[in-house]
Amino acid sequence: MPVFFSAHSAGLIMAVSTMIYNRFPATLNTDVTRVSVICARQVGVDHHLLDTKKLSSQGKRLSESLSKLVQLTIETPYRRNLRNHNWVLVNEIVEKHNAPAKSPKEVIADKWRELHGSMDWEDLLDPLHPLLRREIVKYGEFAQATYDAFDFDSFSEYCGSCRYNRNKLFEKVGLDGSGYIVTKYIYAMSHIEMPQWLEKSHLLDTWSKDSNWMGYVAVSDDVETCRIGRRDIVVAWRGTVSPAEWYEDFQREMEPIGAGDAKVEHGFLSIYSSKSKSTRYNKSSAAEQVMKEVKKLVEFYRRQGEEVSLTITGHSLGGALALLNAYDAAVAIPDLPVTVISFGAPRVGNIAFRDELQRLGVKTLRVVVKQDLVPRMPGVVFNEALQLFEEITGTLEWIYTHVGVELKLDINSSPYLKRRFNPLGFHCPETYLHLVDGFSSSSLTFRSDARRDVALVNKCCDMLVDELRIPPSWYQLENKGLVRNEHGRWVKPTRDPEDIPSPIGEENAFPSPNSDPEKLSRIQH
């Protein structure tokens, strides 16, 4: 298994490589969509509570250079002026210690289609509607969970896996109140010739020499289904953390996808679609694993007479994989509402790929930070801007283009963040979530009633102003995972059997479509 870097180092590598309160517009459908059968018999929705008040040699040399760059601190002189109101920020943080960290959930059963892009988020982004803000943060936290639960320890025999089994995942990462249940883990591999300096591993005997945990599939429980107006299936994809993955991110070649002119970046497609019969976890590709689970869930809940949606999320590389996943889902299940909410995602394919996703009805909301470099990749020069010259050049099938609607955020909007150059911090998912939580509109300041814990920003980077006294990169296992044994010596603990990766367990993760609905209901509660 290749060596694994920390999440923030991987964010730096990829970065170098590669919205006040507003009423919904009158176009919103005020008719309540049909809620699930289970929901109907459990909860009576009180409608007056609904808010009326939102590789080649060149590749090798590049990789080697970047590996050295990881050891450097890239920083320009600190130009922020210390101002009196920074001490006011400290007082605000202290006061928020006694306030809930999250906004209360509101019923969105009659608004979910608009919130998920049926009108391409028209009049919902600037200013950012509070209900949409909460939805974006919700899915962003699902993406963040893929980092929080990932085993980065290169001295661990389970390096590259999820530290917890799927029944404990949300509890361990603080999402036990999310209203969703994890049903399936996704594993991915990549068919590339790795340079020798990347192939080395601290351990020879590992859980898998070929595969990494790449994300998971989850589904809303009965209570959450009532609140949001349909049964929501979520797929969350992890961003780049392993050398094999960011080595693939450097590939700039396109290759066809589907039967038309659509093409996507080779490296992203390789991670998404690679498989090998000789492996334990990738006898089927990540694409096949996720689509098998999505089809099974859709069939199961439709058998119960429920309305179903699919929401795919991911950060960085995970945002790229989310688009590939959305393409597959829209082709395989044409009548399924598919929405992508991505964070700091790069471009994935050409204009034809973008047009094909639009034709298939996939709705995409891209959250980007102005200072983040990753969304500019690939295609820093040759990108969608060249469409202005299409009459002269003709159709350009080889240029990269973004997909969907963009919500652009700015580091400078938050008084809590440092202003110095920090590509690592600019790209961190927690920075994204902080900025979404505080965004009102492009013409207004950072909202004072933002609920999300500011300290989370520094989980894996150093972005908070020093006056807040939050240490950088504070998120880690207690004692870095070491425990004392019965003799008083510090050792690496053995994993609980239920947390050890098991390909057989994954195959039987979710009840089959023929399972007893009452049994499934008990599992969910």
Side-chain angles (χ1 to χ4, degrees):
M1 173 180 287
V3 179
F4 288 75
F5 293 107
S6 67
H8 60 274
S9 296
L12 174 57
I13 291 169
M14 187 166 183
V16 176
S17 75
T18 37
M19 268 157 206
I20 246 146
Y21 174 80
N22 181 45
R23 296 171 65 98
F24 267 80
T27 55
L28 285 176
N29 179 11
T30 57
D31 294 330
V32 179
T33 56
R34 182 173 59 84
V35 184
S36 72
V37 173
I38 295 177
C39 173
R41 69 169 181 258
Q42 283 192 345
V43 177
V45 178
D46 197 353
H47 295 290
H48 75 272
L49 294 178
L50 299 180
D51 183 27
T52 58
K53 282 179 131 187
K54 30 179 143 118
L55 241 170
S56 62
S57 60
Q58 291 179 334
K60 180 177 180 179
R61 287 197 299 271
L62 176 59
S63 300
E64 290 171 336
S65 298
L66 287 170
S67 70
K68 296 175 183 177
L69 186 59
V70 173
Q71 309 301 324
L72 305 178
T73 299
I74 302 178
E75 215 171 80
T76 54
Y78 195 11
R79 296 188 298 271
R80 180 179 56 82
N81 295 320
L82 293 177
R83 294 168 291 185
N84 292 333
H85 78 254
N86 280 330
W87 292 106
V88 176
L89 293 181
V90 176
N91 292 330
E92 287 181 5
I93 296 297
V94 172
E95 291 174 3
K96 287 183 178 181
H97 284 322
N98 297 321
K102 296 183 178 181
S103 300
K105 294 182 177 181
E106 298 185 34
V107 177
I108 60 170
D110 64 337
K111 300 178 177 70
W112 76 266
R113 290 187 179 275
E114 287 77 14
L115 293 173
H116 279 246
S118 65
M119 305 294 291
D120 291 323
W121 294 281
E122 184 178 356
D123 298 329
L124 297 181
L125 295 177
D126 194 2
L128 182 61
H129 195 283
L131 295 182
L132 178 56
R133 179 190 297 113
R134 291 167 195 159
E135 285 293 283
I136 296 174
V137 169
K138 177 177 81 172
Y139 292 108
E141 289 180 337
F142 286 146
Q144 175 65 48
T146 62
Y147 294 107
D148 292 344
F150 190 79
D151 190 342
F152 293 97
D153 186 0
S154 59
F155 291 95
S156 167
E157 63 182 303
Y158 303 111
C159 181
S161 72
C162 180
R163 297 200 305 264
Y164 319 111
N165 73 76
R166 62 183 182 83
N167 297 317
K168 292 177 14 182
L169 174 62
F170 282 174
E171 173 192 352
K172 291 294 186 179
V173 300
L175 293 179
D176 45 324
S178 67
Y180 284 74
I181 300 158
V182 178
T183 68
K184 177 76 174 180
Y185 277 174
I186 309 167
Y187 298 88
M189 63 177 293
S190 184
H191 280 311
I192 60 172
E193 291 295 328
M194 291 296 296
Q196 187 175 7
W197 61 277
L198 285 178
E199 289 179 344
K200 302 284 185 180
S201 176
H202 290 301
L203 297 176
L204 295 176
D205 186 19
T206 63
W207 71 285
S208 174
K209 296 182 183 298
D210 310 282
S211 306
N212 294 309
W213 181 65
M214 209 65 210
Y216 58 89
V217 183
V219 64
S220 57
D221 63 21
D222 296 344
V223 174
E224 182 71 359
T225 294
C226 293
R227 186 185 74 84
I228 63 179
R230 83 285 183 196
R231 186 72 67 171
D232 186 33
I233 301 169
V234 169
V235 181
W237 293 93
R238 177 177 54 73
T240 308
V241 297
S242 79
E245 293 160 1
W246 58 255
Y247 194 79
E248 280 285 37
D249 294 341
F250 297 152
Q251 312 304 307
R252 292 296 172 258
E253 298 177 2
M254 287 190 187
E255 60 179 276
I257 185 172
D261 297 326
K263 295 181 180 180
V264 296
E265 198 268 343
H266 166 76
F268 301 148
L269 187 59
S270 175
I271 293 172
Y272 183 65
S273 61
S274 291
K275 61 181 179 180
S276 172
K277 291 296 183 183
S278 64
T279 64
R280 296 184 64 198
Y281 293 87
N282 278 114
K283 297 182 187 301
S284 59
S285 66
E288 292 168 338
Q289 295 168 41
V290 70
M291 285 311 304
K292 179 179 179 181
E293 184 70 5
V294 168
K295 288 177 181 178
K296 183 161 62 175
L297 290 169
V298 170
E299 180 182 352
F300 181 88
Y301 287 110
R302 283 182 172 176
R303 279 173 171 254
Q304 316 309 318
E306 299 189 35
E307 186 170 17
V308 185
S309 69
L310 174 63
T311 310
I312 313 175
T313 187
H315 167 261
S316 193
L317 166 65
L321 299 178
L323 277 184
L324 298 176
N325 187 184
Y327 175 85
D328 277 356
V331 169
I333 317 174
D335 57 341
L336 179 68
V338 180
T339 301
V340 175
I341 300 179
S342 67
F343 302 81
R347 296 182 179 94
V348 176
N350 62 2
I351 295 173
F353 178 64
R354 178 200 65 187
D355 293 345
E356 185 66 8
L357 284 171
Q358 292 175 349
R359 185 190 67 80
L360 290 168
V362 174
K363 299 300 180 179
T364 303
L365 178 59
R366 295 184 298 106
V367 184
V368 301
V369 168
K370 177 182 176 181
Q371 291 81 2
D372 189 4
L373 300 177
V374 172
R376 306 179 192 181
M377 308 290 178
V380 176
V381 177
F382 300 108
N383 54 51
E384 58 269 14
L386 291 180
Q387 284 189 272
L388 296 173
F389 307 99
E390 192 169 347
E391 291 185 4
I392 301 175
T393 62
T395 302
L396 301 175
E397 297 182 359
W398 46 271
I399 67 170
Y400 283 92
T401 183
H402 274 304
V403 176
V405 179
E406 179 181 271
L407 171 60
K408 181 169 283 190
L409 309 170
D410 190 337
I411 294 293
N412 296 317
S413 68
S414 172
Y416 302 99
L417 303 181
K418 294 175 179 177
R419 303 294 190 263
R420 67 188 181 191
F421 181 64
N422 185 344
L424 177 160
F426 296 163
H427 188 57
C428 277
E430 286 291 358
T431 302
Y432 272 77
L433 292 175
H434 168 71
L435 291 173
V436 171
D437 191 43
F439 182 79
S440 294
S441 78
S442 56
S443 61
L444 294 173
T445 59
F446 200 84
R447 69 189 189 108
S448 60
D449 56 343
R451 292 291 191 95
R452 206 159 190 277
D453 193 346
V454 175
L456 292 171
V457 174
N458 268 14
K459 282 171 74 172
C460 297
C461 65
D462 183 12
M463 281 294 291
L464 293 177
V465 294
D466 295 336
E467 288 79 7
L468 297 179
R469 293 173 283 181
I470 305 297
S473 305
W474 55 263
Y475 185 84
Q476 63 180 13
L477 294 178
E478 184 178 7
N479 299 317
K480 295 190 175 181
L482 292 183
V483 297
R484 286 196 176 201
N485 64 14
E486 63 272 23
H487 305 294
R489 296 187 179 274
W490 289 95
V491 298
K492 278 194 170 295
T494 58
R495 275 199 186 181
D496 291 338
E498 61 182 9
D499 292 331
I500 295 176
S502 168
I504 297 176
E506 283 302 310
E507 284 298 317
N508 302 308
F510 187 78
S512 70
N514 295 320
S515 297
D516 181 2
E518 294 302 324
K519 178 180 179 181
L520 177 62
S521 181
R522 289 197 297 272
I523 292 174
Q524 292 178 335
H525 288 292

